Amino acid sequence: MISIIIGALAYVAPVLLQAQQPFLKRFEPTLINFLMLSFLLFVVGVAGVLSRRNIIIIFMSIELILNAVNLNLIAFSRYLELNKDALMAKGLAVNPLAGPVFTIFIIVVAAAEAAVGLGIVIAMFRNRETVAIDEIDLLKW
Amino acid sequence: MQLHGWEAALFYVLAIMTLFMAVFVVTARVAVHSALFLISTLVNVALLFILLRAEFVAGVQILVYVGGVMVLFLFVIMLVQTRAEEEARVRLYTGQTWPAVIIALLLAVSFYFAMNPAQAAFRPPESATTTPVVAESTERATAGAGLNISKDTQEVGEQLYRQAALPFEVASLLLLVAMVGAVLLARGTKQEKYYE
């Protein structure tokens, strides 16, 4: 079942190679490279959420997804910061600091989500003696 | 936002480390190993934040995630550990192979169609502002001789307390609610009887 993750990455790899083609000339990472890294992190997290049985590892995969989003926001913030003048000249209003601020709120929400989620896990383990999600089927009819 | 020289090399090292550790998080058999790999992933992402000159967020990431959330995860794993997964016969995955593959495919397609126009859109201002990058790097080099303090923390703090003051308060209220909720959810039957 590791094949799920490998399969997910295999579906992604040709797209990435295609997207990376013009950049083979210069390997220096730009915004696109950060977006690709963030996307791959996101896909790994989604694969974890969809395929694992242990609910704690599913929570960890959710943390991975949130981190991918954070990386995306910070990369865009840096991009806006560096290209502020060029974008301002085009008449676009840019606020490069919105990225870090939003990232901090995402971290706060992630911490709250982890606390409540793990509280639910403990309560559920106390009642059902399991952390496998396919054995937690009390609401299934 | 091209990174140059050792920063480019560092980006690739950190990116590969991050991805490998993320895959290990998802594939690890024992939950504790998964948590340790996740700590490694989070530290790598924090280093990428430093590479993007977001030092404050990197510090928050280390403090909150590695120092707070992961300790919580490890405690819960310790409380909940049945040690059943160490045996090879126990299934690690649910049988959702096809949904996972289909969703990965959909994500790949959406990524392709999002990135294809975006590449053209992101490049022109980039090439237009190669000079500010150079200017900034020289500025940083000269600043390194004297006082090497990034203004990132100050700027983010000002933004957080001025423009985003109301969301900030809402976030603190959310944390309070989450804290009370977690305590309420995790208490035992004996404690419930005691308080009722």
Side-chain angles (χ1 to χ4, degrees):
Chain A
M1 285 296 170
I2 300 168
S3 62
I4 295 172
I5 291 98
I6 296 172
L9 289 180
Y11 276 113
V12 167
V15 179
L16 284 184
L17 286 180
Q18 222 166 350
Q20 217 172 8
Q21 200 62 41
F23 281 84
L24 284 178
K25 281 164 274 176
R26 33 181 197 159
F27 273 108
E28 296 186 329
T30 60
L31 179 63
I32 303 289
N33 297 60
F34 279 96
L35 295 191
M36 276 188 233
L37 172 62
S38 154
F39 171 72
L40 285 176
L41 213 55
F42 187 89
V43 167
V44 172
V46 169
V49 169
L50 287 178
S51 63
R52 284 305 296 248
R53 247 177 115 227
N54 190 335
I55 194 167
I56 298 173
I57 295 180
I58 289 179
F59 272 118
M60 291 188 203
S61 304
I62 293 174
E63 302 292 325
L64 274 184
I65 293 176
L66 290 169
N67 256 282
V69 174
N70 287 349
L71 190 59
N72 218 340
L73 284 172
I74 296 290
F76 268 109
S77 149
R78 177 69 177 156
Y79 173 81
L80 287 183
E81 195 184 342
L82 284 183
N83 299 318
K84 202 174 182 179
D85 299 330
L87 289 173
M88 287 277 220
K90 280 186 186 174
L92 297 168
V94 292
N95 182 8
L97 284 178
V101 169
F102 210 84
T103 305
I104 287 165
F105 288 133
I106 288 179
I107 289 176
V108 167
V109 172
E113 171 253 327
V116 174
L118 292 175
I120 291 174
V121 169
I122 288 180
M124 205 164 343
F125 185 75
R126 193 171 281 132
N127 288 328
R128 303 293 303 263
E129 292 286 321
T130 180
V131 285
I133 51 162
D134 46 2
E135 290 169 20
I136 303 167
D137 48 5
L138 208 59
L139 281 180
K140 219 175 185 177
W141 51 280
Chain B
M1 65 175 251
Q2 276 196 331
L3 304 171
H4 298 285
W6 63 271
E7 286 186 337
L10 193 58
F11 168 78
Y12 283 108
V13 171
L14 287 177
I16 288 167
M17 282 285 287
T18 308
L19 285 178
F20 268 93
M21 290 301 158
V23 171
F24 288 155
V25 168
V26 174
T27 55
R29 176 161 281 275
V30 186
V32 177
H33 296 175
S34 195
L36 294 178
F37 282 129
L38 183 56
I39 289 176
S40 173
T41 310
L42 295 173
V43 170
N44 276 326
V45 173
L47 291 177
L48 280 169
F49 286 165
I50 292 178
L51 210 57
L52 288 166
R53 309 285 192 283
E55 290 90 357
F56 181 62
V57 179
V60 167
Q61 168 110 349
I62 295 279
L63 285 177
V64 173
Y65 267 119
V66 182
V69 174
M70 289 319 295
V71 172
L72 194 64
F73 268 106
L74 285 172
F75 264 105
V76 172
I77 289 169
M78 189 183 73
L79 286 175
V80 162
Q81 185 68 276
T82 52
R83 306 192 76 78
E85 293 186 334
E86 292 172 21
E87 298 167 26
R89 60 181 174 77
V90 176
R91 286 187 303 128
L92 287 184
Y93 302 100
T94 56
Q96 298 178 315
T97 316
W98 278 109
V101 168
I102 289 169
I103 286 175
L105 196 63
L106 283 178
L107 275 173
V109 169
S110 63
F111 178 72
Y112 179 70
F113 282 110
M115 276 301 126
N116 227 11
Q119 265 196 346
F122 285 148
R123 237 179 304 164
E126 199 178 284
S127 56
T129 54
T130 43
T131 42
V133 179
V134 176
E136 193 221 30
S137 63
T138 51
E139 174 199 323
R140 278 176 57 84
T142 50
L147 204 57
N148 198 359
I149 295 176
S150 161
K151 288 183 77 89
D152 173 69
T153 307
Q154 185 190 345
E155 286 170 351
V156 172
E158 269 180 16
Q159 188 87 358
L160 209 55
Y161 278 109
R162 287 193 180 148
Q163 264 86 10
L166 181 64
F168 188 80
E169 299 300 326
V170 173
S172 51
L173 193 66
L174 175 72
L175 277 181
L176 179 67
V177 171
M179 193 169 71
V180 174
V183 170
L184 206 64
L185 281 170
R187 66 180 180 170
T189 46
K190 201 188 285 181
Q191 290 152 328
E192 276 175 30
K193 273 178 202 152
Y194 179 75
Y195 284 114
E196 282 159 7

